Amino acid sequence: MLTLTLHRPEALNALNTALLGELADILDQSAQDDRIAAVVITGSQRAFAAGADIKEMATLDAVGVLQDPRVGYWKRISQFPKPIIAAVNGFALGGGCELAMHADILIAGHQAQFGQPEINLGIIPGAGGTQRLLRAVGKSTAMQMVLTGEPISAQRAYEAGLISEITQAELTLERAQSIARTIARKAPLAVQQAKDVLLKALDMDLATGLQYERKAFTLLAATQDRNEGIQAFMEKRQPLYKGC
Ligand code: CO8
């Protein structure tokens, strides 16, 4: 398990090009590292991340936005094949909320705030916020958040299905790491297939999704870890997975 802590306290962890690029690079390396089964991303108690760096954004014209290297960084983050767990406290706004939504599991402290305030700047979310938020919380809540720019509380985010658990603020990271450790004990290929198939459900109609699931399920029947998992169950012992 790897824990990544966003650390730009002077800007409430605003995601500038350097920070996002570093995050994409580390995730690329982690994808190749068999010792890392899952990644936890967190910020500080005050802010997970307060958005894209507005001061940096102010320097970009339309061509700059078109050629923004962060578009590629976001894509690489979204393609990370292993589970990402976001441990969110404080502000998760704009690009910060979008980064949290790139995670597969979101855990938040009870004072966390999730919002897409871009409308206050005369823009709209640009890193998947409109699409992922709507899929996570439904049309009405997503519209309200994006059109008013007003954030929602952790409690509201929990009720809407954006996050899966609320914790005391000081326990958020620990809880996210505990979930990551639980996942790390499972068969790695099954974990990656499960993530892939679940995410595809957002893009596919039911019949195609079921077919995709069946293929992944069949593929896993060819792994040693599947045999080990079943054998361990029959022998009433813990499985020893090898990732093959
Ligand atoms: N960018 C740059 N600096 C920031 C940001 C930010 N997003 N947020 C806060 N800061 C800085 C402040 O400027 C301030 O710095 P300084 O002390 O030098 O003035 C410092 O962090 C502390 O902030 P505040 O004094 O404002 O702290 P408050 O507690 O009073 O307020 C808030 C906290 C409410 C979070 C407030 O800072 C705020 O509203 N921030 C902006 C939130 C926002 O609008 N986020 C959306 C940004 S746009 C975006 O994310 C688009 C994503 C598109 C991605 C597409 C990529 C291809």
Side-chain angles (χ1 to χ4, degrees):
M1 179 194 56
L2 175 71
T3 298
L4 299 174
T5 305
L6 306 170
H7 187 66
R8 287 191 70 216
E10 72 284 5
L12 300 182
N13 294 335
L15 302 165
N16 62 5
T17 303
L19 179 56
L20 209 63
E22 208 180 332
L23 188 58
D25 286 347
I26 294 173
L27 290 178
D28 280 352
Q29 289 156 20
S30 305
Q32 306 303 324
D33 188 337
D34 290 343
R35 294 165 304 177
I36 298 171
V39 173
V40 174
I41 300 180
T42 195
S44 66
Q45 289 292 322
R46 189 162 172 226
F48 178 74
D53 190 308
I54 298 173
K55 292 164 193 166
E56 190 184 52
M57 227 162 56
T59 64
L60 295 179
D61 59 12
V63 174
V65 171
L66 183 71
Q67 297 175 338
D68 192 339
R70 283 176 300 177
V71 176
Y73 300 154
W74 283 113
K75 188 165 186 202
R76 282 161 56 199
I77 294 167
S78 73
Q79 290 171 341
F80 182 62
K82 301 174 185 179
I84 299 178
I85 299 153
V88 179
N89 274 299
F91 302 111
L93 302 177
C97 187
E98 289 170 312
L99 177 61
M101 288 191 288
H102 275 70
D104 303 299
I105 300 171
L106 285 76
I107 306 295
H110 61 281
Q111 282 170 346
Q113 289 182 38
F114 295 84
Q116 298 290 164
E118 289 89 343
I119 201 82
N120 298 327
L121 302 170
I123 56 173
I124 65 169
T130 58
Q131 306 303 300
R132 289 196 178 89
L133 191 63
L134 185 135
R135 284 164 169 78
V137 304
K139 178 184 159 190
S140 185
T141 302
M143 282 284 185
Q144 191 171 337
M145 288 172 70
V146 171
L147 297 179
T148 67
E150 288 169 4
I152 59 170
S153 65
Q155 182 62 36
R156 181 82 188 86
Y158 175 72
E159 287 160 5
L162 181 61
I163 64 175
S164 53
E165 284 184 29
I166 303 179
T167 66
Q168 290 172 30
E170 58 278 15
L171 297 179
T172 315
L173 178 58
E174 199 178 306
R175 177 64 188 138
Q177 289 173 328
S178 159
I179 294 169
R181 275 193 294 273
T182 299
I183 293 170
R185 290 194 288 273
K186 314 299 178 193
L189 291 174
V191 167
Q192 289 188 31
Q193 288 297 313
K195 168 169 173 165
D196 181 39
V197 173
L198 279 158
L199 286 179
K200 286 286 190 306
L202 296 172
D203 300 333
M204 290 178 174
D205 63 83
L206 182 60
T208 315
L210 290 172
Q211 208 175 8
Y212 194 73
E213 179 195 77
R214 169 71 16 204
K215 291 211 165 145
F217 186 82
T218 306
L219 184 73
L220 288 169
T223 63
Q224 288 181 26
D225 280 350
R226 179 260 201 183
N227 295 340
E228 166 63 8
I230 292 175
Q231 198 62 34
F233 174 80
M234 311 242 250
E235 293 170 8
K236 299 188 187 300
R237 61 171 173 83
Q238 289 301 311
L240 194 65
Y241 293 125
K242 295 192 176 132
C244 55

